[in-house]
Amino acid sequence: MLKFLKGVVAGSGTGVKDLPYNIGDPYPSAWGSWSHFHGTSKDDGSPVSVFSISGTNAQDGHLAAARNGVKRLRTVRHPNILSFLHSTEVESFDGSTSKVTIYIVTEPVMPLSEKIKELGLSGSQRDEYYAWGLNQIAKAVSFLNNDCKLVHGNVCLASVVVTQTLDWKLHAFDVLSEFDGNNEAATGPMLQYAWLIGTQYKSMELAKSDWAAIRKSPPWCIDSWGLGCLIYEIFSGMKLGKTEELRNTASIPKSLLPDYQRLLSSMPSRRLNSSKLLENSEYFQNKLVDTIHFMEILNLKDSVEKDTFFRKLPNLAEQLPRQIVLKKLLPLLASALEFGSAAAPALTALLKMGSWLSTEEFSAKVLPTVVKLYASNDRAVRVGLLQHIDQYGESLSSQIVDDQVYPHIATGFSDTSAFLRELTLKSMLVLAPKLSQRTMSGSLLKYLSKLQVDEEPAIRTNTTILLGNIASYLNDGTRKRVLINAFTVRALRDTFSPARGAGVMALCATSAYYDVNEIATRILPNIVVLTIDPDSDVRSKAFQAVDQFLQIVKQHHDKTNTGDTTGAANEGISSMPGNAGLLGWAMSSLTIKGKSSEQAPLAPSNSVAPLASTSSNASSAMETPITTPIRHVSSSTDIADIPVPVSPTSTDGWGEIENGIHEEEHDSDKDGWDDIQPLDEPKPPAALANIQAAQKRPVSQPVKPQATSLRPKSTVKVTKDEDDDLWGSIAAPAPRTVSKPLNVKPAGGSLDDDDPWASIAAPAPTTRAKPLGASRGRGAKPVAPKLGAQRINRTSSGM
């Protein structure tokens, strides 16, 4: 046959050379005299099927029937009938002999017999698939007989083909004719090409050519018989050899046997209509048929039905034939999601089915739908995409992530839903390696700066963890401008203890990126403070971090002494013991929300006091995003005076990156990085300072719980009073300097030296009630005699 086709192409001036399709290898079988070939489109390479039939005489009956089949296939359209694409008729010459070839190009299909062998189904899965296929062929036959009043004439295994989505379709329309039931007196053949039908497939009246009886019978009588032949062939697994074999019903399922027998009734008028077969047969009521049928009429279902169906679909898909799920259900599901007819839970089923595909098939069949879904405004769809990003994120190319996915995902950073903000944040762990430096520095870091002062403590914590994980994907300049400021200025001073712990872990995990000057002047001073953190976990991490960074500094010292300064600045351990947890998220914002009510009373006392000595302006760094670079702060005289490593653009970090996002909200925050060093506090008058120092002393020394009870007043803002309190316990000279001026003022020695309040008791009475204090020291001379004399004088005068 291939040699013949080559001869046709070579010997014809027109025809196959002008056919816009390439003809490939043939299939082993086809209906009648037709040959079935693989084919591809010359335009886009898409697959097609090519059917051909040839004859030596233009008036050959096979060619005439083939022309009838081409005309019928072109005009009859139905979802369960083979889709027609193109046809042509070619005449070629081989010497004095001419050959005519007719070509039909259709959608890509393969013979049903070949597909059954390829699938190799058995048991209940085979029965479910056969039920679905017979359901489709019965619909096609019912359409021809009942709606079009046409008779196919040769329904059998060879006249059924299977598409790439495993749908069964009816073809072989060469015998197709109108049902002439009105002219009962006519004795001529109703089926003009009935001679093409194999004897084994002919019903009794058709084998006798009893056209009068056929015309008196229903229009479905011939095709119902053919449908029975098809059922026998697919369940027996062999081609029907003779009509008597139809009596062997051993292979026919019991639920289908009564309908099978009615289809093959000896009386044409009593044969079962294919439409009734679909409505009444129990065989067609199974999970696969119901699932596919639901998907095909999805637009007619309400939201409750859709939601219920798609929530059950992932488990249901495991019970269905795997090939049917991947080639039939998966495309239906992808199309439904893409065009918005499917509910958000369908995404879970889509990704689960997609996990059964190879990498190449997943990229071709699932990823395009996923990428399109990111443009959806449905928040539930976005949540589903982000929750399952680990299942498909690695398959996304860098260009797709940077150009199509990230612009849509970025809107979630500022979403009003904390849950969506957190999911967006976590998705960056998968997508960040695929983002360009321009996107990371120009967009992602700005959003992360915003999230590091988010109202949700879990989001602040996970932002720090994310920064530690994606630090390796940042360029050197960005790392120098961002990491230390993000971890020390914000994370280590957060009121939420897990956030502080995450900051310590992030610093340790990224220690290879800091030089020794930064470690000694900017990192260690901030970590050492946390060694007295109220939270034991933070303290443990802080001690480990101090040991790690001190080891780096010591290595630098040793190398400097030996004269080897090569790489001394960055020599160190890249991660701390027990730091593997940095790769995982700290917690979920939903679970933390539940815990926040329990931790709320403890958070202020457990977090503010240890951080008080680092800055008096920490609250501004935690409550509002930063917009002013740190260089503006470094004019003060403390840690910030140490020069920061120079980068190509700026020596600050976090603050400058954040410019451009919601700037209208931050106009009041002129300098976000002021809390790198403590501000100079205005000194109170000497007398007031003495009183304040003395008043603090009995609160902090005798009863320690009272000191912590005062701290909740400043849950977010670190104040100067706490700074004084930290140093109050070691300021021994303060009480003596206070007591000297206070002891000079009293006139007598009536003060009790054992009274802790004695040193401050004297000034209060002198300012509030001076006359009463005077009467106490000098007796009743000035006031009482004067009043008494007046009363006595009145009495004597009266006498």
Side-chain angles (χ1 to χ4, degrees), residues 3 25 63 70 106 170 226 258 365 415 444 471 490 506 514 519 620 703 720:
K3 292 182 179 179
D25 298 330
L63 294 179
V70 171
T106 68
L170 186 64
K365 297 180 179 180
D415 196 274
L444 176 59
R490 288 190 177 171
Y514 313 127
I519 292 173
S620 64
V703 186
K720 61 183 180 181

Side-chain angles (χ1 to χ4, degrees), residues 125-142:
Q125 290 193 344
R126 185 201 70 164
D127 289 343
E128 286 182 346
Y129 180 57
Y130 286 177
W132 169 245
L134 287 172
N135 182 281
Q136 292 180 300
I137 297 302
K139 286 180 179 179
V141 172
S142 175

Side-chain angles (χ1 to χ4, degrees), residues 265-280:
S265 175
S266 58
M267 297 180 62
S269 60
R270 299 184 62 180
R271 287 180 194 152
L272 182 65
N273 189 344
S274 54
S275 63
K276 299 298 181 181
L277 174 68
L278 294 171
E279 295 173 3
N280 302 325

Side-chain angles (χ1 to χ4, degrees), residues 110-123 125-130 132-133 161-168 288 321-328:
M110 68 183 301
L112 175 59
S113 57
E114 302 298 324
K115 178 58 70 174
I116 289 175
K117 294 178 183 178
E118 181 183 293
L119 292 176
L121 297 176
S122 61
Q125 290 193 344
R126 185 201 70 164
D127 289 343
E128 286 182 346
Y129 180 57
Y130 286 177
W132 169 245
V161 289
V162 184
T163 67
Q164 292 180 326
T165 57
L166 300 184
D167 289 313
W168 292 17
L288 179 63
R322 184 61 53 88
Q323 291 294 327
I324 288 81
V325 169
L326 296 181
K327 294 186 177 181
K328 177 63 179 178

Side-chain angles (χ1 to χ4, degrees), residues 417-605:
S417 169
F419 182 61
L420 190 55
R421 291 200 304 275
E422 186 190 38
L423 287 177
T424 304
L425 174 69
K426 291 184 176 182
S427 70
M428 289 300 109
L429 190 60
V430 177
L431 300 183
K434 301 177 182 294
L435 293 176
S436 64
Q437 286 297 320
R438 178 180 178 183
T439 301
M440 292 189 71
S441 300
S443 176
L444 176 59
L445 291 181
K446 292 180 181 180
Y447 287 113
L448 295 185
S449 177
K450 173 77 172 175
L451 290 180
Q452 213 179 12
V453 290
D454 194 89
E455 60 183 6
E456 290 289 337
I459 292 180
R460 300 199 301 269
T461 303
N462 286 333
T463 302
T464 301
I465 292 174
L466 175 66
L467 275 172
N469 278 286
I470 68 172
S472 59
Y473 306 118
L474 302 173
N475 57 42
D476 292 339
T478 303
R479 281 197 294 260
K480 289 182 179 296
R481 288 184 290 115
V482 169
L483 295 184
I484 293 182
N485 290 309
F487 296 149
T488 61
V489 176
R490 288 190 177 171
L492 297 189
R493 301 177 185 182
D494 200 295
T495 58
F496 191 53
S497 58
R500 299 196 298 277
V504 176
M505 296 173 69
L507 282 169
C508 294
T510 57
S511 61
Y513 303 127
Y514 313 127
D515 60 37
V516 71
N517 291 330
E518 293 173 323
I519 292 173
T521 60
R522 303 180 63 190
I523 296 177
L524 277 173
N526 286 281
I527 295 180
V528 167
V529 176
L530 298 184
T531 57
I532 57 172
D533 193 275
D535 188 279
S536 61
D537 185 60
V538 175
R539 291 197 302 271
S540 300
K541 289 182 172 64
F543 278 114
Q544 293 176 3
V546 168
D547 292 341
Q548 176 179 337
F549 284 109
L550 282 178
Q551 184 178 354
I552 297 174
V553 175
K554 185 177 179 181
Q555 290 175 355
H556 172 75
H557 165 73
D558 294 340
K559 290 193 174 185
T560 303
N561 287 344
T562 59
D564 181 13
T565 58
T566 305
N570 282 329
E571 187 70 23
I573 305 171
S574 61
S575 62
M576 62 184 288
N579 200 29
L582 181 63
L583 299 178
W585 298 111
M587 69 289 290
S588 169
S589 62
L590 294 182
T591 57
I592 286 302
K593 252 183 177 178
K595 293 181 180 179
S596 62
S597 60
E598 303 170 4
Q599 297 181 355
L602 302 177
S605 60

